[in-house]
Amino acid sequence: MHRNQYASLIFLCCLLACKMPDDKVLPRKQSLPLFNPHVADFICETEASKVPPIDAQAEDWFREARAMEDPEIFVEDRDYKKIVDLTRQAAERLHWKAMLNLASLYVEGRDPMHGEEEAVQLVEKAMLLGIPAAYDRMGTYYANGTGVAGDSTRAYAFWQKAALMGNPQALGYLGEKLTAGKDYPGAEMWGNIPVAIKMMECALGQGYGPPAYDLSYLYVVLRTPDGTSDGERTAETKERALQVLHTGVRLGCEKCANKLTIEFGDPFDLANMLVPYIDKARAERYGVLGRELGFNPNARFPNLDKVLPLPPADLPPWNGDRDTLLHAAKGVSPPPAIPQPSAASLSTEPYFLAADYALRPTSLHSDAPSAPFSAYWQPATGQGVTEPARLFHKGEAFPHFSVLDADGRSRYGPVTWEQCLTIRHNHGAVEPRAARGLLREVARPEPWLSCACGQACPVSGVWQPRVAADHPLQAIVNQYWRQTWLTQGAPFPRPRRDWLLDLPGDEVTWHWMDMSLPDIG
């Protein structure tokens, strides 16, 4: 596991192990540089390389809570008590997305005992962990006056901090603001097109689809740095804009789907339309996808090219049924392997661990008298203590043991503890996971095929990219929404060229997930 992913955790352990001094500046009040729209350059960072590793059991609780907020379930029919409880359980294991979701639930009034102040405190805790998204959220709180006094200047300062740390949402938001130019009447002249493009490409490369809509305008007509139009549309610029909009649809951009619905179906300007020709059939399919994304922003369509490829590819037949099209464009995953019982799964509390999980020591140590946060902990090696890992809740006292000191004499007292992460107990199987309803279950392919990035695709079907479990970018590569449908002989996507992600292709392995999608004819 990368060293920088634990630095913030160690810092948080220190904070939680001792009382914060009275003169300590709260994270919400920290001093930040003012937002500067006129920076000369921008270096893309990735949020995934900065966040702490996620506990697998906490991730399952988080996904279960998200599934219970499925748009198909009426708000009044949702069990928000259980949603809050599951999200809080995950947050207690320092699941950073759960921490921010729990803050949202507090702001929405879903837990009568907690409100805006508790939400701000949760976000502050995530900021101490070094979570870029927490800085983005604090910016939103200042913009809206949520739990803090409204202050647009501080909001932009926090968003700038989040963007510099690699948060996709902040990158997309600020990138769009930097597109203001002379063709935006009344704008504040923040035009900085080179940096705007870099910011939005950085966000899109991390799997965040909405910036694709704004990028399409920057791609189709070249502009000077201040935003002034610097040329006419060409076949090449229109093709680039069309490609980025299509990518946006794959990654959940509703506005991209709606724009392509118009472009293919009824463009405003026939002389300057992006698409090569009017195609009502394609427009209808983009319309179905756009309406679904408007209803469910969490939807993703990684296998879009099988059911809706860009021209000049022919459209496959479609029976006109909405669900058939959406189902076919979804990501796929085989059914999870049935876990075998382990010694821990046969133990009793607090040593019990469900058979779905195994434990992996993290090298994160604590000398605090009690657990700084809820997790599985075990005595660190080299102390002569063989106590197995067990679950400690935040604040629960660590026991003492008899150990030998440096002179070989026995003493009874505290020991150093090491955190253990739960990981999926599936022996490295490629099983993309998502909240219920976002994936289509398929049979495990036989034979099992894996390919290097530089090879040609040996078999048509859905392919899943994967990097090593301890790779700093695994959280934005080993995801179902990175899947792609490929035909035999086609090249595999190149991360730098096709994902806008600074990742060498030889670090990615492609795995065959499914040879055929449902018949949509």
Side-chain angles (χ1 to χ4, degrees), residues 1 6 53 358-365 376-381 389 418-423:
M1 187 61 62
Y6 285 105
L359 292 174
R360 182 177 68 200
T362 63
S363 300
L364 171 63
H365 297 119
Y376 281 86
W377 297 86
Q378 66 183 15
T381 57
E418 180 177 22
Q419 183 213 359
C420 294
L421 274 181
T422 64
I423 59 175

PDB file of all heavy atoms in Angstrom, residues 1 6 53 358-365 376-381 389 418-423:
ATOM      1  N   MET A   1       0.845  -1.197   0.000  1.00  0.00           N
ATOM      2  CA  MET A   1       0.000   0.000   0.000  1.00  0.00           C
ATOM      3  C   MET A   1       0.873   1.237   0.000  1.00  0.00           C
ATOM      4  O   MET A   1       1.906   1.263   0.660  1.00  0.00           O
ATOM      5  CB  MET A   1      -0.904  -0.016   1.241  1.00  0.00           C
ATOM      6  CG  MET A   1      -1.923   1.087   1.255  1.00  0.00           C
ATOM      7  SD  MET A   1      -3.066   1.027  -0.143  1.00  0.00           S
ATOM      8  CE  MET A   1      -3.847  -0.542   0.152  1.00  0.00           C
ATOM      9  N   TYR A   6      -1.286   6.518   3.980  1.00  0.00           N
ATOM     10  CA  TYR A   6      -1.373   6.305   5.417  1.00  0.00           C
ATOM     11  C   TYR A   6      -0.914   7.506   6.227  1.00  0.00           C
ATOM     12  O   TYR A   6      -1.188   7.589   7.421  1.00  0.00           O
ATOM     13  CB  TYR A   6      -0.532   5.083   5.820  1.00  0.00           C
ATOM     14  CG  TYR A   6      -1.211   3.798   5.444  1.00  0.00           C
ATOM     15  CD1 TYR A   6      -0.772   3.058   4.359  1.00  0.00           C
ATOM     16  CD2 TYR A   6      -2.321   3.373   6.140  1.00  0.00           C
ATOM     17  CE1 TYR A   6      -1.424   1.905   3.989  1.00  0.00           C
ATOM     18  CE2 TYR A   6      -2.978   2.221   5.772  1.00  0.00           C
ATOM     19  CZ  TYR A   6      -2.527   1.477   4.700  1.00  0.00           C
ATOM     20  OH  TYR A   6      -3.179   0.337   4.332  1.00  0.00           O
ATOM     21  N   PRO A  53      -7.122   3.895   2.209  1.00  0.00           N
ATOM     22  CA  PRO A  53      -7.757   2.681   1.667  1.00  0.00           C
ATOM     23  C   PRO A  53      -9.103   2.432   2.344  1.00  0.00           C
ATOM     24  O   PRO A  53      -9.300   2.759   3.512  1.00  0.00           O
ATOM     25  CB  PRO A  53      -6.748   1.577   1.995  1.00  0.00           C
ATOM     26  CG  PRO A  53      -5.959   2.114   3.151  1.00  0.00           C
ATOM     27  CD  PRO A  53      -5.882   3.587   2.947  1.00  0.00           C
ATOM     28  N   ALA A 358     -11.271 -11.252   4.513  1.00  0.00           N
ATOM     29  CA  ALA A 358     -10.007 -11.620   5.139  1.00  0.00           C
ATOM     30  C   ALA A 358      -9.416 -10.334   5.705  1.00  0.00           C
ATOM     31  O   ALA A 358      -9.934  -9.233   5.466  1.00  0.00           O
ATOM     32  CB  ALA A 358      -9.063 -12.256   4.120  1.00  0.00           C
ATOM     33  N   LEU A 359      -8.334 -10.448   6.459  1.00  0.00           N
ATOM     34  CA  LEU A 359      -7.701  -9.279   7.062  1.00  0.00           C
ATOM     35  C   LEU A 359      -6.319  -9.058   6.461  1.00  0.00           C
ATOM     36  O   LEU A 359      -5.596 -10.008   6.181  1.00  0.00           O
ATOM     37  CB  LEU A 359      -7.574  -9.459   8.581  1.00  0.00           C
ATOM     38  CG  LEU A 359      -8.883  -9.454   9.368  1.00  0.00           C
ATOM     39  CD1 LEU A 359      -8.629  -9.796  10.830  1.00  0.00           C
ATOM     40  CD2 LEU A 359      -9.572  -8.090   9.274  1.00  0.00           C
ATOM     41  N   ARG A 360      -5.984  -7.770   6.283  1.00  0.00           N
ATOM     42  CA  ARG A 360      -4.660  -7.422   5.783  1.00  0.00           C
ATOM     43  C   ARG A 360      -4.078  -6.335   6.672  1.00  0.00           C
ATOM     44  O   ARG A 360      -4.653  -5.244   6.792  1.00  0.00           O
ATOM     45  CB  ARG A 360      -4.737  -6.910   4.344  1.00  0.00           C
ATOM     46  CG  ARG A 360      -3.360  -6.581   3.747  1.00  0.00           C
ATOM     47  CD  ARG A 360      -3.484  -6.144   2.304  1.00  0.00           C
ATOM     48  NE  ARG A 360      -4.157  -4.862   2.175  1.00  0.00           N
ATOM     49  CZ  ARG A 360      -4.728  -4.429   1.064  1.00  0.00           C
ATOM     50  NH1 ARG A 360      -4.741  -5.195  -0.018  1.00  0.00           N
ATOM     51  NH2 ARG A 360      -5.321  -3.253   1.014  1.00  0.00           N
ATOM     52  N   PRO A 361      -2.949  -6.603   7.338  1.00  0.00           N
ATOM     53  CA  PRO A 361      -2.310  -5.563   8.162  1.00  0.00           C
ATOM     54  C   PRO A 361      -1.958  -4.355   7.304  1.00  0.00           C
ATOM     55  O   PRO A 361      -1.585  -4.485   6.137  1.00  0.00           O
ATOM     56  CB  PRO A 361      -1.054  -6.255   8.698  1.00  0.00           C
ATOM     57  CG  PRO A 361      -1.360  -7.718   8.614  1.00  0.00           C
ATOM     58  CD  PRO A 361      -2.227  -7.888   7.401  1.00  0.00           C
ATOM     59  N   THR A 362      -2.063  -3.178   7.888  1.00  0.00           N
ATOM     60  CA  THR A 362      -1.882  -1.949   7.119  1.00  0.00           C
ATOM     61  C   THR A 362      -0.572  -1.230   7.397  1.00  0.00           C
ATOM     62  O   THR A 362      -0.261  -0.255   6.706  1.00  0.00           O
ATOM     63  CB  THR A 362      -3.009  -0.957   7.440  1.00  0.00           C
ATOM     64  OG1 THR A 362      -2.926  -0.609   8.828  1.00  0.00           O
ATOM     65  CG2 THR A 362      -4.373  -1.552   7.132  1.00  0.00           C
ATOM     66  N   SER A 363       0.163  -1.625   8.419  1.00  0.00           N
ATOM     67  CA  SER A 363       1.360  -0.903   8.870  1.00  0.00           C
ATOM     68  C   SER A 363       1.007   0.414   9.536  1.00  0.00           C
ATOM     69  O   SER A 363       1.884   1.243   9.799  1.00  0.00           O
ATOM     70  CB  SER A 363       2.347  -0.645   7.716  1.00  0.00           C
ATOM     71  OG  SER A 363       2.772  -1.863   7.148  1.00  0.00           O
ATOM     72  N   LEU A 364      -0.271   0.636   9.836  1.00  0.00           N
ATOM     73  CA  LEU A 364      -0.687   1.803  10.600  1.00  0.00           C
ATOM     74  C   LEU A 364      -0.708   1.414  12.076  1.00  0.00           C
ATOM     75  O   LEU A 364      -1.459   0.525  12.473  1.00  0.00           O
ATOM     76  CB  LEU A 364      -2.075   2.268  10.161  1.00  0.00           C
ATOM     77  CG  LEU A 364      -2.726   3.349  11.030  1.00  0.00           C
ATOM     78  CD1 LEU A 364      -1.900   4.632  10.985  1.00  0.00           C
ATOM     79  CD2 LEU A 364      -4.141   3.623  10.582  1.00  0.00           C
ATOM     80  N   HIS A 365       0.124   2.070  12.889  1.00  0.00           N
ATOM     81  CA  HIS A 365       0.270   1.709  14.297  1.00  0.00           C
ATOM     82  C   HIS A 365      -0.303   2.782  15.209  1.00  0.00           C
ATOM     83  O   HIS A 365      -0.348   3.962  14.840  1.00  0.00           O
ATOM     84  CB  HIS A 365       1.748   1.484  14.640  1.00  0.00           C
ATOM     85  CG  HIS A 365       2.370   0.343  13.903  1.00  0.00           C
ATOM     86  ND1 HIS A 365       3.434   0.494  13.040  1.00  0.00           N
ATOM     87  CD2 HIS A 365       2.054  -0.969  13.870  1.00  0.00           C
ATOM     88  CE1 HIS A 365       3.766  -0.675  12.521  1.00  0.00           C
ATOM     89  NE2 HIS A 365       2.929  -1.577  13.009  1.00  0.00           N
ATOM     90  N   TYR A 376     -10.499  -3.425  12.945  1.00  0.00           N
ATOM     91  CA  TYR A 376      -9.844  -4.598  13.496  1.00  0.00           C
ATOM     92  C   TYR A 376      -8.401  -4.210  13.811  1.00  0.00           C
ATOM     93  O   TYR A 376      -7.708  -3.607  12.986  1.00  0.00           O
ATOM     94  CB  TYR A 376      -9.886  -5.769  12.506  1.00  0.00           C
ATOM     95  CG  TYR A 376     -11.220  -6.466  12.484  1.00  0.00           C
ATOM     96  CD1 TYR A 376     -12.257  -6.009  11.667  1.00  0.00           C
ATOM     97  CD2 TYR A 376     -11.468  -7.579  13.298  1.00  0.00           C
ATOM     98  CE1 TYR A 376     -13.498  -6.641  11.661  1.00  0.00           C
ATOM     99  CE2 TYR A 376     -12.694  -8.217  13.294  1.00  0.00           C
ATOM    100  CZ  TYR A 376     -13.709  -7.737  12.484  1.00  0.00           C
ATOM    101  OH  TYR A 376     -14.928  -8.368  12.483  1.00  0.00           O
ATOM    102  N   TRP A 377      -7.964  -4.544  15.011  1.00  0.00           N
ATOM    103  CA  TRP A 377      -6.618  -4.221  15.466  1.00  0.00           C
ATOM    104  C   TRP A 377      -5.955  -5.478  16.023  1.00  0.00           C
ATOM    105  O   TRP A 377      -6.629  -6.350  16.573  1.00  0.00           O
ATOM    106  CB  TRP A 377      -6.648  -3.151  16.562  1.00  0.00           C
ATOM    107  CG  TRP A 377      -7.197  -1.825  16.143  1.00  0.00           C
ATOM    108  CD1 TRP A 377      -8.501  -1.442  16.128  1.00  0.00           C
ATOM    109  CD2 TRP A 377      -6.448  -0.696  15.678  1.00  0.00           C
ATOM    110  NE1 TRP A 377      -8.635  -0.153  15.675  1.00  0.00           N
ATOM    111  CE2 TRP A 377      -7.377   0.334  15.397  1.00  0.00           C
ATOM    112  CE3 TRP A 377      -5.085  -0.449  15.476  1.00  0.00           C
ATOM    113  CZ2 TRP A 377      -6.997   1.583  14.933  1.00  0.00           C
ATOM    114  CZ3 TRP A 377      -4.696   0.804  15.018  1.00  0.00           C
ATOM    115  CH2 TRP A 377      -5.640   1.805  14.742  1.00  0.00           C
ATOM    116  N   GLN A 378      -4.641  -5.550  15.879  1.00  0.00           N
ATOM    117  CA  GLN A 378      -3.874  -6.644  16.479  1.00  0.00           C
ATOM    118  C   GLN A 378      -2.562  -6.071  17.012  1.00  0.00           C
ATOM    119  O   GLN A 378      -2.083  -5.028  16.522  1.00  0.00           O
ATOM    120  CB  GLN A 378      -3.571  -7.720  15.442  1.00  0.00           C
ATOM    121  CG  GLN A 378      -2.631  -7.288  14.323  1.00  0.00           C
ATOM    122  CD  GLN A 378      -2.411  -8.362  13.280  1.00  0.00           C
ATOM    123  OE1 GLN A 378      -3.137  -9.339  13.211  1.00  0.00           O
ATOM    124  NE2 GLN A 378      -1.388  -8.168  12.448  1.00  0.00           N
ATOM    125  N   PRO A 379      -1.954  -6.713  18.039  1.00  0.00           N
ATOM    126  CA  PRO A 379      -0.656  -6.236  18.516  1.00  0.00           C
ATOM    127  C   PRO A 379       0.365  -6.278  17.389  1.00  0.00           C
ATOM    128  O   PRO A 379       0.429  -7.247  16.624  1.00  0.00           O
ATOM    129  CB  PRO A 379      -0.305  -7.218  19.638  1.00  0.00           C
ATOM    130  CG  PRO A 379      -1.625  -7.746  20.099  1.00  0.00           C
ATOM    131  CD  PRO A 379      -2.466  -7.831  18.858  1.00  0.00           C
ATOM    132  N   ALA A 380       1.126  -5.218  17.229  1.00  0.00           N
ATOM    133  CA  ALA A 380       2.146  -5.171  16.186  1.00  0.00           C
ATOM    134  C   ALA A 380       3.195  -6.239  16.439  1.00  0.00           C
ATOM    135  O   ALA A 380       3.436  -6.659  17.584  1.00  0.00           O
ATOM    136  CB  ALA A 380       2.796  -3.790  16.151  1.00  0.00           C
ATOM    137  N   THR A 381       3.815  -6.706  15.381  1.00  0.00           N
ATOM    138  CA  THR A 381       4.818  -7.765  15.500  1.00  0.00           C
ATOM    139  C   THR A 381       6.056  -7.254  16.242  1.00  0.00           C
ATOM    140  O   THR A 381       6.297  -6.048  16.335  1.00  0.00           O
ATOM    141  CB  THR A 381       5.234  -8.265  14.103  1.00  0.00           C
ATOM    142  OG1 THR A 381       5.724  -7.144  13.341  1.00  0.00           O
ATOM    143  CG2 THR A 381       4.049  -8.883  13.381  1.00  0.00           C
ATOM    144  N   ALA A 389      -6.161 -10.663  15.621  1.00  0.00           N
ATOM    145  CA  ALA A 389      -6.875  -9.405  15.388  1.00  0.00           C
ATOM    146  C   ALA A 389      -8.299  -9.507  15.914  1.00  0.00           C
ATOM    147  O   ALA A 389      -8.949 -10.553  15.809  1.00  0.00           O
ATOM    148  CB  ALA A 389      -6.880  -9.073  13.903  1.00  0.00           C
ATOM    149  N   GLU A 418      -1.680  -2.510  15.656  1.00  0.00           N
ATOM    150  CA  GLU A 418      -1.658  -2.302  14.211  1.00  0.00           C
ATOM    151  C   GLU A 418      -3.065  -2.518  13.641  1.00  0.00           C
ATOM    152  O   GLU A 418      -3.723  -3.519  13.955  1.00  0.00           O
ATOM    153  CB  GLU A 418      -0.686  -3.273  13.545  1.00  0.00           C
ATOM    154  CG  GLU A 418      -0.608  -3.126  12.034  1.00  0.00           C
ATOM    155  CD  GLU A 418       0.422  -4.054  11.413  1.00  0.00           C
ATOM    156  OE1 GLU A 418       0.778  -5.067  12.045  1.00  0.00           O
ATOM    157  OE2 GLU A 418       0.880  -3.779  10.294  1.00  0.00           O
ATOM    158  N   GLN A 419      -3.505  -1.580  12.798  1.00  0.00           N
ATOM    159  CA  GLN A 419      -4.824  -1.719  12.177  1.00  0.00           C
ATOM    160  C   GLN A 419      -4.777  -2.771  11.080  1.00  0.00           C
ATOM    161  O   GLN A 419      -3.790  -2.896  10.349  1.00  0.00           O
ATOM    162  CB  GLN A 419      -5.281  -0.394  11.571  1.00  0.00           C
ATOM    163  CG  GLN A 419      -6.691  -0.462  10.972  1.00  0.00           C
ATOM    164  CD  GLN A 419      -6.879   0.430   9.765  1.00  0.00           C
ATOM    165  OE1 GLN A 419      -5.965   1.139   9.357  1.00  0.00           O
ATOM    166  NE2 GLN A 419      -8.064   0.399   9.177  1.00  0.00           N
ATOM    167  N   CYS A 420      -5.871  -3.527  10.942  1.00  0.00           N
ATOM    168  CA  CYS A 420      -6.040  -4.484   9.848  1.00  0.00           C
ATOM    169  C   CYS A 420      -7.270  -4.084   9.037  1.00  0.00           C
ATOM    170  O   CYS A 420      -8.345  -3.858   9.609  1.00  0.00           O
ATOM    171  CB  CYS A 420      -6.216  -5.914  10.371  1.00  0.00           C
ATOM    172  SG  CYS A 420      -4.760  -6.579  11.185  1.00  0.00           S
ATOM    173  N   LEU A 421      -7.111  -4.007   7.739  1.00  0.00           N
ATOM    174  CA  LEU A 421      -8.236  -3.753   6.847  1.00  0.00           C
ATOM    175  C   LEU A 421      -8.941  -5.055   6.515  1.00  0.00           C
ATOM    176  O   LEU A 421      -8.289  -6.093   6.353  1.00  0.00           O
ATOM    177  CB  LEU A 421      -7.755  -3.149   5.533  1.00  0.00           C
ATOM    178  CG  LEU A 421      -7.540  -1.650   5.394  1.00  0.00           C
ATOM    179  CD1 LEU A 421      -7.081  -1.359   3.980  1.00  0.00           C
ATOM    180  CD2 LEU A 421      -8.798  -0.873   5.715  1.00  0.00           C
ATOM    181  N   THR A 422     -10.263  -5.005   6.396  1.00  0.00           N
ATOM    182  CA  THR A 422     -10.942  -6.158   5.812  1.00  0.00           C
ATOM    183  C   THR A 422     -10.831  -6.041   4.292  1.00  0.00           C
ATOM    184  O   THR A 422     -10.923  -4.953   3.722  1.00  0.00           O
ATOM    185  CB  THR A 422     -12.432  -6.216   6.210  1.00  0.00           C
ATOM    186  OG1 THR A 422     -13.117  -5.092   5.679  1.00  0.00           O
ATOM    187  CG2 THR A 422     -12.584  -6.237   7.729  1.00  0.00           C
ATOM    188  N   ILE A 423     -10.594  -7.157   3.626  1.00  0.00           N
ATOM    189  CA  ILE A 423     -10.534  -7.216   2.163  1.00  0.00           C
ATOM    190  C   ILE A 423     -11.454  -8.337   1.703  1.00  0.00           C
ATOM    191  O   ILE A 423     -11.815  -9.229   2.487  1.00  0.00           O
ATOM    192  CB  ILE A 423      -9.097  -7.454   1.656  1.00  0.00           C
ATOM    193  CG1 ILE A 423      -8.536  -8.764   2.211  1.00  0.00           C
ATOM    194  CG2 ILE A 423      -8.195  -6.278   2.046  1.00  0.00           C
ATOM    195  CD1 ILE A 423      -7.167  -9.132   1.672  1.00  0.00           C
TER     196      ILE A 423
END
